[in-house]
Amino acid sequence: MFPSPFIVAPMAGGVSTPGLVVAAARAGALGFLAGGYKSSGALAEQIAAVRSETENFGVNLFVPDSRPVDAEALAAYRTELAAEAERYGVPLPELNPEADDDGWQQKLELLGEQPVAFVSFTFGAPAREEVRSLQALGSKVLITVTSGDEAKVATERGADALIVQHSSAGGHSGAFLDPDKPEYPDALADLLIELRSVSPLPLIGAGGISDSTTAAMSLDCGAEAVQLGTAFLCATEAGTREAHRQALLGGRFIRTARTRAFSGRWARGLENRFIREHPGAPQAYPQIHHLTSPLRAAAAAAGDPEGVNLWAGTGFAQARAASTAEILADLESGL
């Protein structure tokens, strides 16, 4: 199903540039554009840019999060962030307890008008009809799961393959049946073995994969491919902010932590001041994402990594500055 055992993960927020996706394809791997946090028009432009170079790519979409939000807890968190706003000299946005759907329908329509080879979903499983509509146009549908129960749902919805994400992965957790479950201790290999017994679909391992050794372990445990994000954060073609790159390469940060402080949804990043000082952020996604957006932008502009969401998986120490082709060559050499 896949051109190689390596998939360059979709990383929202500007990291997954068309250049990164094209570079992955030229090196024989599969890259994904990140559809999250951008308009359907902006996504259409990126699809056109990649398609002018290759048809070997995919697009990732966020499934809308319809969970109710505790408006009182959200307001209290906004009050807590007043000191951050003063620190960075920016106003905090007004609260909107209603969740936006990130242009869900418009993006599905775009992928109906401009089909791509692969479409992956995070934060949920789309309806069976939506899956079938994409497949009828020739798109392979991948759904991110974090447990056996989620794998069953995704399989029933008609997915072509499952992205098996362990909690060691950088960025947001794709958990959707129990998004607030605690971090689970089992390794990715154990999760792959469990899901292999639950679903007959091809599995893609994700989370904590940083080199050819960890990639081979996942492949040996039943994965058809592995998806890596952190390993490509410092790639030449990635759109990673400079403060984020320096944080990964500089040795200042020594561990990762799971947090809801930046977005209201559990995500893993380098443990910095912001994460430590705001441990009680409530579940409120994407409301808190929008609330902290100007704070993160101001911190990044100031070159302050202590106030930015430095998403990274547990294998971040092996990230390096190199071209996408060089990183992939290193990964492939050890298989």
Side-chain angles (χ1 to χ4, degrees):
M1 178 184 293
F2 307 108
S4 95
F6 294 103
I7 297 173
V8 179
M11 293 173 279
V15 178
S16 291
T17 63
L20 179 65
V21 176
V22 170
R26 286 177 176 167
L30 175 64
F32 274 79
L33 288 172
Y37 306 142
K38 60 169 62 81
S39 68
S40 59
L43 179 58
E45 291 178 1
Q46 291 200 335
I47 289 174
V50 175
R51 178 160 279 146
S52 68
E53 301 288 339
T54 180
E55 290 289 343
N56 177 34
F57 71 101
V59 170
N60 174 260
L61 297 184
F62 291 165
V63 178
D65 189 340
S66 58
R67 289 178 295 163
V69 168
D70 184 331
E72 184 176 335
L74 180 59
Y77 191 59
R78 184 180 186 277
T79 299
E80 179 181 327
L81 293 180
E84 296 285 354
E86 183 176 357
R87 175 193 293 267
Y88 293 112
V90 294
L92 287 175
E94 294 300 318
L95 291 177
N96 180 6
E98 299 299 320
D100 70 74
D101 65 0
D102 198 39
W104 172 250
Q105 287 300 329
Q106 295 94 325
K107 291 173 186 177
L108 283 179
E109 290 172 6
L110 170 64
L111 294 177
E113 297 164 358
Q114 301 181 34
V116 297
F118 297 88
V119 181
S120 68
F121 293 94
T122 306
F123 302 157
R128 184 187 295 267
E129 295 74 20
E130 292 166 332
V131 172
R132 287 176 174 170
S133 293
L134 291 167
Q135 291 169 331
L137 296 169
S139 299
K140 297 293 186 182
V141 174
L142 319 179
I143 297 178
T144 304
V145 299
T146 67
S147 69
D149 287 340
E150 289 178 351
K152 292 176 183 177
V153 171
T155 302
E156 291 167 356
R157 298 288 172 87
D160 292 295
L162 306 178
I163 300 170
V164 181
Q165 184 197 47
H166 187 259
S167 61
S168 54
H172 284 100
S173 166
F176 57 90
L177 290 182
D178 183 11
D180 294 317
K181 68 182 178 181
E183 184 174 2
Y184 33 94
D186 295 336
L188 173 58
D190 299 312
L191 189 59
L192 285 166
I193 292 170
E194 176 191 348
L195 268 60
R196 179 72 293 151
S197 67
V198 169
S199 173
L201 297 178
L203 305 181
I204 302 161
I209 301 171
S210 55
D211 55 22
S212 59
T213 300
T214 48
M217 288 176 60
S218 294
L219 297 172
D220 289 342
C221 289
E224 182 171 315
V226 290
Q227 179 172 278
L228 299 88
T230 304
F232 294 94
L233 281 171
C234 295
T236 307
E237 300 86 355
T240 310
R241 288 169 164 169
E242 188 59 27
H244 198 168
R245 288 178 184 268
Q246 293 304 316
L248 287 163
L249 299 174
R252 173 175 175 176
F253 298 93
I254 60 175
R255 64 176 64 89
T256 63
R258 293 215 316 164
T259 182
R260 289 194 300 206
F262 291 108
S263 70
R265 188 181 185 100
W266 288 113
R268 182 177 294 281
L270 299 181
E271 185 182 87
N272 60 6
R273 177 193 61 78
F274 199 101
I275 289 177
R276 290 190 295 271
E277 293 184 1
H278 303 288
Q283 174 271 310
Y285 177 88
Q287 292 87 348
I288 290 177
H289 164 77
H290 296 309
L291 181 63
T292 65
S293 180
L295 299 175
R296 292 179 279 122
D304 179 12
E306 298 293 347
V308 181
N309 52 311
L310 305 171
W311 299 147
T314 55
F316 74 93
Q318 296 191 64
R320 67 187 186 96
S323 70
T324 299
E326 290 171 328
I327 296 169
L328 283 167
D330 280 351
L331 290 168
E332 293 167 352
S333 67
L335 293 186

